[in-house]
Amino acid sequence: MNSLISKGTPSLHKAVMKHRYGKDPVFYPLRALSYALSHRELFWTVLKVACVGITVSIIILVILLVTALQPQAQAISSNLEWWAWLIAVFLVLFEAGIISVLLMSVSQSKAQTKVFTATMKLEGVWREDMIEQSMAKDLNPMKKAFIVRILTLPLQIIPFIGGAMYSAINATFIGWDHMDRYFDAIQLSPKLQRVEIFGHELSDCRALCNPATYDLDNDIARFGFFCGIVESAPIIGFVLGPVTNAIAAALFACDIEHSGGLLCLREEEAQDE
């Protein structure tokens, strides 16, 4: 009996389809944009966050341009060469983005939780036994692979290419952070989260040195890479990206639920039987 169940349950390592849950996760961040536009409740939440975020960002940027641009250019080159001004502009944009993200973190977290839950309810997947992620956990600064993210964060200074490089390096952990709302909703244990992400239980430290962590064929990594690309988009990425990516995570979660649930849970149930 156990062998029959085992045969009928897809393996994390030998899934029949290329993508474990039927769809390529790279499309969820783009699909989330059109989904938000077609649902008024989600659209107004995204719009409010965008208005607040853009307003805050503009105010911070103007302040930094007035007070910090010239001193930084002068620190780079005392003769104020043109390239010193160019580098200083990139630095000011980067600094404005960091400050804006920190100031908007609470409102963005609330909006992310709201649109994630709302999307799953609209799709008829949210169950009474599911729970929303707490803000304390969402705002925990010690995110997955925190050190690597900090070390690679300066890549974001480089428009487009830098964002793509940052997203590729941190893809698995970005995807994990966004899908963490779903894992918390179904109260998935940390051990099974690692099994789902890496195929077996693996600590964050060991995962950093594991080549498979940086393999973009991994569904969570593919999802995280494009979430990172959206959030790295100049000007509006860090304002809108986190919220629309929460919708993307919900759509991904809905397809997982429609397919029968996480494979790690199905394999565990098969082993228990």
Side-chain angles (χ1 to χ4, degrees):
M1 182 67 178
N2 288 347
S3 61
L4 289 175
I5 295 173
S6 178
K7 289 178 181 178
T9 304
S11 169
L12 285 172
H13 308 289
K14 297 180 179 179
V16 175
M17 294 178 291
K18 181 178 179 181
H19 303 295
R20 281 183 275 173
Y21 302 105
K23 296 181 181 178
D24 190 341
V26 301
F27 295 111
Y28 289 113
L30 294 177
R31 185 182 163 199
L33 298 175
S34 60
Y35 195 88
L37 290 173
S38 61
H39 293 81
R40 180 179 295 182
E41 178 185 353
L42 301 179
F43 174 76
W44 283 115
T45 301
V46 173
L47 184 62
K48 283 187 284 187
V49 171
C51 291
V52 171
I54 291 172
T55 302
V56 169
S57 300
I58 290 173
I59 292 172
I60 293 171
L61 181 59
V62 169
I63 292 174
L64 289 179
L65 287 173
V66 172
T67 61
L69 180 61
Q70 184 171 340
Q72 290 187 83
Q74 204 155 22
I76 295 168
S77 173
S78 57
N79 296 325
L80 293 176
E81 302 285 348
W82 67 268
W83 50 267
W85 284 106
L86 183 61
I87 295 174
V89 167
F90 283 135
L91 287 173
V92 165
L93 290 173
F94 179 70
E95 293 157 2
I98 294 296
I99 296 171
S100 299
V101 167
L102 291 174
L103 291 177
M104 295 186 302
S105 58
V106 173
S107 61
Q108 276 191 335
S109 177
K110 289 181 178 179
Q112 285 176 284
T113 300
K114 182 177 180 179
V115 298
F116 178 86
T117 305
T119 300
M120 293 195 72
K121 287 180 177 178
L122 285 168
E123 292 295 302
V125 172
W126 188 265
R127 302 189 304 270
E128 290 185 2
D129 61 334
M130 289 182 171
I131 61 173
E132 292 185 341
Q133 186 180 63
S134 68
M135 185 181 296
K137 182 176 181 182
D138 186 36
L139 296 179
N140 179 9
M142 300 303 290
K143 295 284 189 178
K144 315 305 190 286
F146 178 73
I147 295 175
V148 175
R149 292 199 190 190
I150 292 297
L151 292 176
T152 55
L153 191 61
L155 290 170
Q156 297 276 23
I157 297 175
I158 309 170
F160 301 108
I161 295 175
M165 292 172 63
Y166 175 86
S167 301
I169 294 170
N170 296 285
T172 297
F173 297 102
I174 294 173
W176 189 356
D177 273 342
H178 283 295
M179 291 306 293
D180 207 26
R181 293 182 188 280
Y182 173 55
F183 297 155
D184 280 359
I186 62 173
Q187 303 173 61
L188 189 69
S189 69
K191 175 184 175 181
L192 285 179
Q193 288 187 36
R194 287 173 167 76
V195 172
E196 177 66 24
I197 302 297
F198 303 112
H200 57 280
E201 190 176 3
L202 196 65
S203 68
D204 289 356
C205 291
R206 289 178 60 197
L208 292 175
C209 303
N210 191 331
T213 301
Y214 307 99
D215 183 1
L216 292 183
D217 282 337
N218 179 305
D219 277 2
I220 296 295
R222 291 175 69 80
F223 176 67
F225 176 72
F226 276 84
C227 285
I229 291 292
V230 171
E231 293 177 13
S232 298
I235 302 176
I236 62 170
F238 68 90
V239 176
L240 291 178
V243 182
T244 59
N245 282 340
I247 298 174
L251 294 173
F252 192 1
C254 289
D255 283 339
I256 292 173
E257 287 289 308
H258 289 316
S259 70
L262 291 170
L263 290 178
C264 66
L265 289 175
R266 282 185 266 169
E267 287 195 333
E268 185 180 54
E269 290 173 0
Q271 290 173 3
D272 290 342
E273 293 181 21

